C-alpha cells in the first residue's frame, strides 16, 4: 500500500516533468531544436557556461578540502562562524546572492578594480557561481574525514612522513571518493545556476548569457524549440551527472 | 581559506546588509511595508510552508519505502530521487510548465497560478527530506522495534513511539532545508508563474525586478529579510539536531 | 507457563537453521539453549517469542497453540544481546514502556518502575538515558523492562555476551537469584558451556539445527549422549574406542595392568588444580587434570614418564 502511494507520488512529481522533456522535443522536432542549439549565440552560451564552471569547480574543490580539514582536524576561534558561512549558500536564495554581489561591486559599492569590469562581465558571473557552489565539496569531505579519523595520519607521522607527504599519500587518498562525488555535485550546480548569474550578468546575448539564461531568453521570445533544444542538452547532461552520482555513491559511502 | 570565504561570501553579504540601511532604518522599514513586497513575501512563506509539510510526509514515506521495502527497479528509483539536484532549475520550470500549462497533455491547466508554484517547488525540493531520512532509517536498530513488540506495543505505537522519535531529527533538518530552498527559489518559478504582482509574484522575483529597475534599496531590504530567514533556518537546523541528540551525550 | 516446541523447521534461503526440532520446557524452570554459532539456538528462541515464524511445526505455550500469535500477544519478555534500549527514553521510561502501552494508570506504572529499579539495583539512575549507562547497567535495565508486565516466560538471547568477564559473572549469579525469587519460566541462549552449566537447571544442547541432548548439567557432563556433547560441555580425551575426561585419568608411577605409558610434556599449576599435557607412547596427546595435593604426592614434573588409566569412560557408537 505505502509502496503504491510513494511510487505514484514520485511518478507524478518527478517522472512527469522528465517525460515532458522528451515529449516536447519530439513534438517540436529534433531539426528545429538542432538549429537553435547550433546558433552562434547559443554555442557561445554553452561555451560561457563551461568556462565559468571550469573556473568555479577547481576553486571550490580546493577550498572544500582545505576548509574540511580545518573544521575537522583543527581547533580555531570562529569555527562555528566558518561552518555557518560555508553552509549559507545552501539556504540562501540565488537572487539574494546576485544582489549582494551587485551591491558590492556596483557603482556605489565598496570594491572597484579600476579598468577591470566586474559586473555585467565574466568576473561577476564567476564570483556568483563560486558563491552558490561553495558548500558542496566541503559537505562531502567533512563527514568522510570525521569517519576515517586521524589514526592513519598519526601513524604516518611516527613513521617519519612530513605534513605534505602525509597529506598527499594518506589524507587525500582516504577522501578521494568524497571529493570526486563533491566535484560532480558542484559541477551540476554550476551548470544549472540561474538566479545569481541573472542578476549580475545583464544577460547580454553573445556576451554574458549562460546556457540557463539562454533558455529563458528563448522562452520569452516565444521560441519554444530553442528553449526545449537547449533544455534537452542540459537535461541530458543532468542525466549523465545522475548516473555518475549513482555509480559513485557506494564508494563514497552514502548508500 | 578565510580570505577566500571572506571575499566570496562574507563581504557580499556585508555589502547587502549595509545597502539595506542606505536610506536609514526608516528606509528599510518603508520597503518592508510596501503592499507589493509584503504580498510577495506572504505568498513565498505560505507556499514554502506547504511544500515543507508535504515533503515531511511524502519524503519520509519515500525514504521508508526505499530503505525497508523491496521492489523491482528500486535502485533506479533511488537514483532518480537526485534528479532535482542535477537538473538546472530553469529547465525544471519549463518542464512543469509543459506538463501543466496551456498545452498540457494531461489537461491540467495550472500554469501562471499559485498551484503551479506549489507543484514546481515540490519537484525542486523532493530530494531534501528523502536524503536526510534515509541514512537515519538505515542506522535504526530494528531490535528496538522488536523489543517494543515483545513488550506489547501495536504496530502504530511502535512507529509513533519508537521509530518516529528516532528519525525526527532527520525529518526536521530535511524539512528546514526544503523550506529554505523553497523560500529562495527563482529559476524554476520565473517562467512558469507569470509573476503577476499580488497573485503569483514571489519574493525572489520581486527582488530580481527591483534590482533590474534600479531600486537597489528596496531590493536590498527584502533580500536582507530573506537572508535573515536563511540564517534562522540554519540556526534552527543546528539547534534541532543538538536538541534531538542530547540523549546521546553521556 | 510451559513451552512446547513441536517439529519446528526454519530456513533462511537455502540455509536450514532448524531441522524438525522438538523441545519441552517445564513451567518454572531455568533452561539454557547451548550450542556453537549457527546451531539454531537464537533462531529457536526468537521463534518461541514470535519474532520469527517457523516454516513448519508449532509452538505451544501453556497448552495453547501460539504459533500464529504476534509477539505482542504471547506474554513473553525478551532480552537482547545488545540491549535494544530505547535510546531516546530515560531508564524509567524504558522500564515502564510495557505498562504504558497497556494504558495502566500513571501511579501504578511509577510504583512498578520503582519496584523494578530497586530490584535491578539501578537506584538513582532512573532519569538517565541509556547512553549514559555502562553495559552491565543497560542490560539490567533491559531485564527490568522485560519483567515489568510480569511475563509468563522470560527469554534472553546471549544476554551477557557483550559484557566483560567480571560483569558477566555477577549478572549470571544475579539471574539465578532472580529466578529463585520469581520462578518465572526462563530460557536463555548461550554459547558458553560454563555459563549454561552454572546457571541452568536444564540444558538443551544444539548443533547444526538439531537438538543433541536435553538434560540437567550434571547428567550432561557425566552421561553425554555422543561425542559432540561430551567435547562441547567439557574437555575429553580419546582413549582408543572410548572418551575420557581429564580428571578421570588416574596417575601411577609404575605400570599397573591396563595403564598406558605417557610423557609429561607440560605441567601448569592453576590455583588448586594441576593441568598437564601428556604424550602417549603412540604419539597421541592427552589432557590431564588432578588436584595439587595429588600432584605433589606423586612429585610430578615435566619430562617425567608416568602411567595413566581411566577411572570412567564413555563409549559412543
Amino acid at each position: 500500500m505505502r509502496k503504491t502511494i510513494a511510487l505514484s507520488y514520485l511518478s507524478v512529481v518527478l517522472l512527469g516533468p522528465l517525460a515532458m522533456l522528451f515529449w516536447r522535443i519530439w513534438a517540436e522536432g529534433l531539426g528545429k531544436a538542432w538549429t537553435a542549439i547550433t546558433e552562434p549565440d547559443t554555442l557561445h552560451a554553452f561555451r560561457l557556461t563551461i568556462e565559468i564552471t571550469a573556473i568555479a569547480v577547481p576553486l571550490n574543490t580546493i577550498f572544500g578540502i582545505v576548509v574540511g580539514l580545518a573544521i575537522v582536524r583543527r581547533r580555531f576561534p570562529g569555527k562555528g562562524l566558518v561552518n555557518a558561512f560555508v553552509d549559507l549558500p545552501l539556504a540562501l536564495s540565488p537572487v539574494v546572492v546576485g544582489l549582494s554581489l551587485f551591491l558590492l561591486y556596483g557603482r556605489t559599492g565598496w570594491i572597484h578594480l579600476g579598468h577591470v569590469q566586474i559586473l555585467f562581465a565574466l568576473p561577476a558571473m564567476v564570483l556568483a557561481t563560486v558563491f552558490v557552489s561553495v558548500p558542496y565539496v566541503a559537505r562531502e569531505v567533512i563527514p568522510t574525514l570525521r569517519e576515517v579519523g586521524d589514526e592513519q595520519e598519526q601513524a604516518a607521522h611516527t613513521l617519519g612522513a612530513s605534513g605534505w607527504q602525509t597529506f598527499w599519500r594518506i589524507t587525500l587518498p582516504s577522501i578521494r571518493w568524497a571529493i570526486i562525488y563533491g566535484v560532480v555535485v558542484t559541477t551540476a550546480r554550476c551548470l544549472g545556476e540561474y538566479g545569481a548569474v541573472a542578476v549580475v550578468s545583464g544577460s547580454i546575448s553573445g556576451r554574458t548569457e549562460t546556457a540557463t539564461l539562454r533558455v529563458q531568453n528563448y522562452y520569452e521570445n516565444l521560441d519554444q524549440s530553442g528553449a526545449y533544444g537547449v533544455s534537452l542538452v542540459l537535461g541530458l547532461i543532468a542525466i549523465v551527472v545522475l548516473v555518475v552520482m549513482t555509480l559513485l555513491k557506494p564508494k563514497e559511502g552514502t548508500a | 581559506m578565510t580570505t577566500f570565504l571572506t571575499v566570496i561570501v562574507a563581504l557580499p553579504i556585508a555589502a547587502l546588509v549595509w545597502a539595506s540601511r542606505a536610506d536609514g532604518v526608516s528606509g528599510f522599514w518603508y520597503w518592508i511595508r510596501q503592499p507589493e513586497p509584503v504580498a510577495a513575501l506572504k505568498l513565498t512563506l505560505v507556499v514554502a510552508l506547504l511544500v515543507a509539510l508535504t515533503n515531511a510526509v511524502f519524503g519520509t514515506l519515500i525514504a521508508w519505502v526505499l530503505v525497508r521495502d523491496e521492489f523491482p527497479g528500486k535502485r533506479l528509483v533511488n537514483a532518480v530521487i537526485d534528479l532535482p539536484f542535477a537538473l538546472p532549475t530553469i529547465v525544471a520550470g519549463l518542464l512543469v510548465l509543459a506538463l501543466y500549462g496551456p498545452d498540457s497533455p494531461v489537461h491540467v491547466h495550472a500554469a501562471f497560478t499559485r498551484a503551479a508554484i506549489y507543484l514546481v517547488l515540490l519537484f525542486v525540493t523532493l530530494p531534501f527530506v528523502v536524503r536526510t531520512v534515509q541514512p537515519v532509517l538505515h542506522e535504526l536498530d530494528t531490535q528496538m522495534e522488536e523489543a517494543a513488540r515483545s513488550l506489547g506495543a501495536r504496530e502504530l505505537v511502535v512507529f509513533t513511539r519508537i521509530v518516529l522519535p528516532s528519525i525526527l531529527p532527520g525529518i526536521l533538518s530535511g524539512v528546514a532545508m526544503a523550506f529554505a530552498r523553497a523560500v529562495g527559489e527563482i529559476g524554476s518559478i520565473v517562467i512558469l508563474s507569470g509573476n503577476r504582482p499580488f497573485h503569483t509574484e514571489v519574493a525572489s522575483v520581486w527582488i530580481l525586478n527591483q534590482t533590474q529597475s534600479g531600486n537597489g534599496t528596496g531590493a536590498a531590504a527584502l533580500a536582507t529579510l530573506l537572508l535573515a530567514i536563511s540564517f534562522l533556518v540554519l540556526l534552527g537546523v543546528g539547534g534541532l539536531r543538538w536538541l534531538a541528540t542530547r540523549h546521546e551525550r553521556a | 507457563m510451559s513451552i512446547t516446541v513441536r517439529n519446528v523447521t526454519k530456513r533462511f534461503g537455502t540455509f536450514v537453521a532448524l531441522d524438525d526440532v522438538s523441545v519441552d520446557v517445564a513451567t518454572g524452570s531455568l533452561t539454557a539453549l547451548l550450542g556453537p554459532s549457527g546451531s539454531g539456538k537464537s533462531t529457536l528462541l526468537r521463534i518461541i517469542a514470535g519474532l520469527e515464524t517457523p516454516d513448519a511445526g508449532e509452538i505451544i505455550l501453556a497448552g495453547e497453540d501460539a504459533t500464529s500469535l504476534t509477539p505482542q500477544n504471547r506474554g513473553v519478555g525478551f532480552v537482547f544481546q545488545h540491549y535494544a534500549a530505547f535510546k531516546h527514553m530515560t531508564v524509567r521510561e524504558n522500564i515502564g514502556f510495557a505498562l504504558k502501552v497497556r494504558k495502566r494508570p500513571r501511579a501504578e506504572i511509577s510504583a512498578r518502575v520503582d519496584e523494578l529499579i530497586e530490584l535491578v539495583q539501578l537506584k538513582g539512575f532512573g532519569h538517565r538515558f541509556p547512553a549514559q549507562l555502562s553495559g552491565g547497567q543497560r542490560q539490567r535495565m533491559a531485564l527490568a523492562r522485560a519483567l515489568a508486565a510480569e511475563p509468563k516466560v522470560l527469554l534472553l538471547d546471549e544476554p551477557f555476551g557483550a559484557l566483560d568477564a567480571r560483569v558477566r559473572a555477577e549478572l549470571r549469579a544475579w539471574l539465578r537469584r532472580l529466578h529463585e525469587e520469581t520462578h518465572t519460566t526462563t530460557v536463555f541462549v548461550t554459547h558458553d558451556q560454563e555459563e549454561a552449566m552454572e546457571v541452568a537447571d536444564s540444558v538443551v544442547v544444539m548443533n547444526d539445527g538439531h537438538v543433541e541432548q536435553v538434560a540437567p548439567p550434571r547428567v550432561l557432563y557425566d552421561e553425554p549422549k555422543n561425542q559432540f556433547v561430551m567435547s562441547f560441555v567439557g574437555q575429553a580425551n580419546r582413549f582408543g574406542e572410548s572418551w575420557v575426561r581429564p580428571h578421570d585419568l588416574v596417575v601411577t608411577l609404575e605400570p599397573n595392568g591396563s595403564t598406558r605409558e605417557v610423557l609429561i610434556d607440560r605441567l601448569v599449576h592453576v590455583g588448586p588444580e594441576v593441568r598437564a599435557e601428556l604424550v602417549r607412547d603412540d604419539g597421541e596427546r592427552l589432557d590431564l587434570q588432578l588436584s595439587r595435593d595429588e600432584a605433589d604426592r606423586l612429585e610430578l614434573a615435566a619430562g617425567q614418564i608416568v602411567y595413566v588409566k581411566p577411572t570412567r569412560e564413555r563409549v559412543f557408537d
Side-chain angles (χ1 to χ4, degrees):
Chain A
M1 183 58 201
R2 58 170 180 253
K3 261 191 274 186
T4 325
I5 301 179
L7 293 174
S8 314
Y9 181 88
L10 281 174
S11 305
V12 170
V13 174
L14 217 51
L15 298 177
L18 186 60
M20 290 312 294
L21 184 60
F22 301 103
W23 174 289
R24 266 317 176 88
I25 285 293
W26 189 47
E28 302 289 334
L30 215 47
K32 281 206 281 180
W34 182 255
T35 317
I37 296 173
T38 48
E39 257 176 43
D41 281 351
T42 310
L43 289 174
H44 180 269
F46 280 125
R47 254 202 310 271
L48 186 58
T49 302
I50 294 173
E51 239 180 82
I52 296 174
T53 306
I55 299 175
V57 170
L59 277 175
N60 273 326
T61 305
I62 298 173
F63 173 72
I65 298 173
V66 171
V67 89
L69 280 167
I71 288 181
V72 178
R73 301 257 193 267
R74 276 181 227 293
R75 244 180 266 201
F76 57 90
K79 197 195 273 204
L81 201 61
V82 167
N83 215 343
F85 272 125
V86 168
D87 278 343
L88 182 63
L90 284 171
L92 197 56
S93 171
V95 167
V96 174
V97 171
L99 179 60
S100 65
L101 286 165
F102 191 85
L103 292 167
L104 181 62
Y105 296 105
R107 260 179 305 114
T108 52
W110 298 340
I111 297 187
H112 294 282
L113 290 181
H115 302 298
V116 180
Q117 183 175 14
I118 302 181
L119 286 182
F120 310 117
L122 186 64
M125 298 169 76
V126 170
L127 285 166
T129 310
V130 171
F131 190 141
V132 302
S133 56
V134 155
Y136 299 102
V137 173
R139 277 173 67 96
E140 293 302 325
V141 165
I142 288 174
T144 308
L145 271 176
R146 283 219 174 96
E147 223 186 280
V148 168
D150 64 351
E151 277 184 356
Q152 293 179 50
E153 281 142 29
Q154 286 178 19
H157 285 138
T158 62
L159 292 163
S162 70
W164 190 244
Q165 283 174 323
T166 309
F167 175 73
W168 263 124
R169 290 176 178 283
I170 309 293
T171 316
L172 213 51
S174 69
I175 53 175
R176 176 181 39 183
W177 292 113
I179 297 175
I180 295 177
Y181 188 87
V183 164
V184 171
V185 175
T186 308
T187 307
R189 181 69 185 85
C190 292
L191 291 172
E193 171 49 29
Y194 170 84
V197 173
V199 171
V200 302
S201 70
S203 252
I204 309 164
S205 293
R207 286 267 293 276
T208 61
E209 194 177 50
T210 58
T212 49
L213 291 171
R214 190 99 186 114
V215 171
Q216 184 194 16
N217 189 341
Y218 271 133
Y219 181 81
E220 279 171 0
N221 289 317
L222 305 175
D223 188 343
Q224 296 278 325
S225 43
Y228 285 106
V230 179
S231 294
L232 179 64
V233 176
L234 291 172
L236 289 173
I237 295 177
I239 293 177
V240 169
V241 165
L242 205 56
V243 169
V244 175
M245 276 170 74
T246 310
L247 291 172
L248 285 174
K249 266 210 185 142
K251 300 204 179 132
E252 196 258 340
T254 16
Chain B
M1 166 191 86
T2 37
T3 328
F4 183 87
L5 203 52
T6 314
V7 170
I8 297 294
V9 178
L11 263 178
I13 297 292
L16 173 67
V17 179
W18 185 260
S20 68
R21 46 141 296 301
D23 283 349
V25 180
S26 53
F28 179 87
W29 284 117
Y30 169 77
W31 282 110
I32 299 295
R33 296 258 216 50
Q34 290 303 293
E36 202 183 317
V38 166
L41 189 62
K42 246 198 233 166
L43 175 63
T44 300
L45 290 175
V46 169
V47 176
L49 200 60
L50 283 171
V51 167
L53 290 171
T54 311
N55 272 312
V57 173
F58 282 98
T60 307
L61 179 66
I62 294 170
W64 184 277
V65 169
L66 285 174
V67 175
R68 297 265 174 113
D69 288 338
E70 283 304 319
F71 55 90
K74 181 160 111 157
R75 287 188 59 204
L76 185 64
V77 172
N78 196 19
V80 166
I81 301 285
D82 283 326
L83 180 66
F85 278 160
L87 192 67
T89 48
I90 192 97
V91 174
L94 194 64
L95 296 179
V96 173
L97 181 60
L99 187 55
Y100 301 119
D103 297 317
S104 165
V106 294
H107 301 294
V108 174
H109 300 291
F112 317 121
T113 65
R114 297 174 166 187
I117 300 177
Y118 173 73
L119 288 169
V120 79
L121 285 176
L122 281 185
F123 178 94
V124 164
T125 54
L126 181 82
F128 286 101
V129 176
V130 177
R131 292 308 191 210
T132 52
V133 172
Q134 265 180 303
V136 184
L137 260 180
H138 229 107
E139 303 261 311
L140 208 60
D141 184 3
T142 51
Q143 290 196 336
M144 281 204 298
E145 290 158 67
E146 287 182 344
R149 278 183 206 116
S150 73
L151 292 164
R154 306 279 141 209
E155 285 310 313
L156 187 61
V157 175
V158 174
F159 182 75
T160 51
R161 283 197 177 275
I162 306 295
V163 180
L164 204 54
S166 303
I167 62 174
L168 203 58
I171 299 179
L172 288 176
S173 35
V175 162
M177 294 311 285
F179 178 79
R181 180 61 196 270
V183 163
E185 180 59 22
I186 177 83
S188 54
I189 298 183
V190 76
I191 288 186
L192 111 158
S193 73
N195 307 320
R196 287 174 0 237
F198 301 101
H199 276 279
T200 59
E201 186 183 45
V202 294
S204 52
V205 169
W206 187 84
I207 295 173
L208 183 60
N209 289 338
Q210 296 308 301
T211 310
Q212 286 171 342
S213 53
N215 178 8
T217 320
L222 194 58
T224 307
L225 208 56
L226 287 193
L227 175 67
I229 295 176
S230 300
F231 259 122
L232 276 171
V233 167
L234 281 180
L235 260 169
V237 172
L240 281 169
R241 296 217 81 111
W242 188 87
L243 256 179
T245 51
R246 68 177 143 68
H247 54 76
E248 276 169 31
R249 277 181 289 278
Chain C
M1 178 164 80
S2 66
I3 306 172
T4 304
V5 176
R6 206 155 53 194
N7 302 112
V8 162
T9 301
K10 178 72 180 173
R11 272 175 232 104
F12 291 108
T14 49
F15 174 65
V16 181
L18 295 170
D19 190 3
D20 199 35
V21 167
S22 297
V23 180
D24 281 295
V25 176
T27 310
S29 64
L30 180 51
T31 305
L33 298 180
L34 173 70
S37 306
S39 53
K41 52 194 197 294
S42 283
T43 309
L44 181 57
L45 196 76
R46 287 169 65 88
I47 287 180
I48 296 174
L51 296 173
E52 307 275 1
T53 36
D55 295 322
E58 293 104 36
I59 301 292
I60 298 162
L61 301 174
E64 311 244 328
D65 188 345
T67 320
S68 49
L69 286 181
T70 59
Q72 285 89 337
N73 295 324
R74 293 200 186 194
V76 298
F78 201 97
V79 177
F80 296 80
Q81 183 177 4
H82 296 284
Y83 332 121
F86 301 141
K87 302 191 183 82
H88 54 286
M89 296 186 192
T90 60
V91 168
R92 288 189 72 88
E93 284 166 348
N94 263 275
I95 297 177
F97 186 81
L99 296 170
K100 187 121 193 247
V101 300
R102 285 168 178 73
K103 306 221 174 36
R104 314 300 305 161
R106 205 182 294 194
E108 184 188 321
I109 299 181
S110 190
R112 180 83 177 128
V113 170
D114 285 334
E115 200 188 310
L116 287 160
I117 285 191
E118 185 82 41
L119 178 70
V120 299
Q121 294 165 310
L122 277 177
K123 209 154 180 193
F125 288 89
H127 295 285
R128 302 256 181 111
F129 287 97
Q132 298 164 305
L133 303 176
S134 70
Q137 288 169 329
R138 269 181 237 176
Q139 200 56 301
R140 299 211 300 273
M141 179 194 80
L143 264 150
R145 181 177 73 179
L147 290 170
E150 290 175 82
K152 292 173 246 140
V153 173
L154 187 60
L155 304 172
L156 306 107
D157 191 355
E158 308 227 32
F160 311 132
L163 303 168
D164 62 28
R166 197 182 48 92
V167 180
R168 253 210 303 267
E170 279 173 22
L171 285 181
R172 266 191 235 167
W174 189 90
L175 182 63
R176 218 358 314 156
R177 265 178 286 134
L178 178 72
H179 181 260
E180 272 156 33
E181 260 183 58
T182 62
H183 296 290
T184 313
T185 313
T186 305
V187 182
F188 70 98
V189 160
T190 180
H191 60 267
D192 180 350
Q193 49 81 228
E194 199 183 298
E195 185 167 285
M197 306 294 264
E198 198 183 294
V199 180
D201 342 286
S202 170
V203 180
V204 176
V205 180
M206 293 182 69
N207 183 33
D208 230 2
H210 300 105
V211 172
E212 299 282 354
Q213 190 174 356
V214 181
R218 179 93 195 246
V219 174
L220 215 57
Y221 192 78
D222 291 339
E223 294 162 45
K225 245 198 226 169
N226 57 39
Q227 190 246 312
F228 174 80
V229 177
M230 182 154 188
S231 326
F232 196 79
V233 147
Q235 284 183 301
N237 292 307
R238 192 155 203 168
F239 220 87
E241 280 301 307
S242 54
W243 294 82
V244 184
R245 296 256 184 240
H247 51 76
D248 287 337
L249 283 170
V250 69
V251 181
T252 52
L253 297 171
E254 298 298 321
N256 180 359
S258 51
T259 58
R260 297 289 296 269
E261 182 181 302
V262 293
L263 170 74
I264 300 180
D265 192 23
R266 231 184 134 229
L267 193 81
V268 282
H269 287 258
V270 183
E273 275 173 15
V274 170
R275 294 190 204 154
E277 280 169 43
L278 311 172
V279 186
R280 204 165 57 185
D281 46 21
D282 59 358
E284 178 99 4
R285 299 192 73 96
L286 300 171
D287 290 311
L288 169 71
Q289 190 182 322
L290 65 172
S291 73
R292 196 184 54 183
D293 291 342
E294 187 66 12
D296 287 346
R297 187 183 68 83
L298 293 165
E299 291 172 3
L300 294 180
Q304 197 177 353
I305 301 276
V306 290
Y307 301 87
V308 294
K309 89 170 162 198
T311 52
R312 220 193 299 207
E313 57 202 309
R314 296 283 295 171
V315 182
F316 309 115
D317 30 51

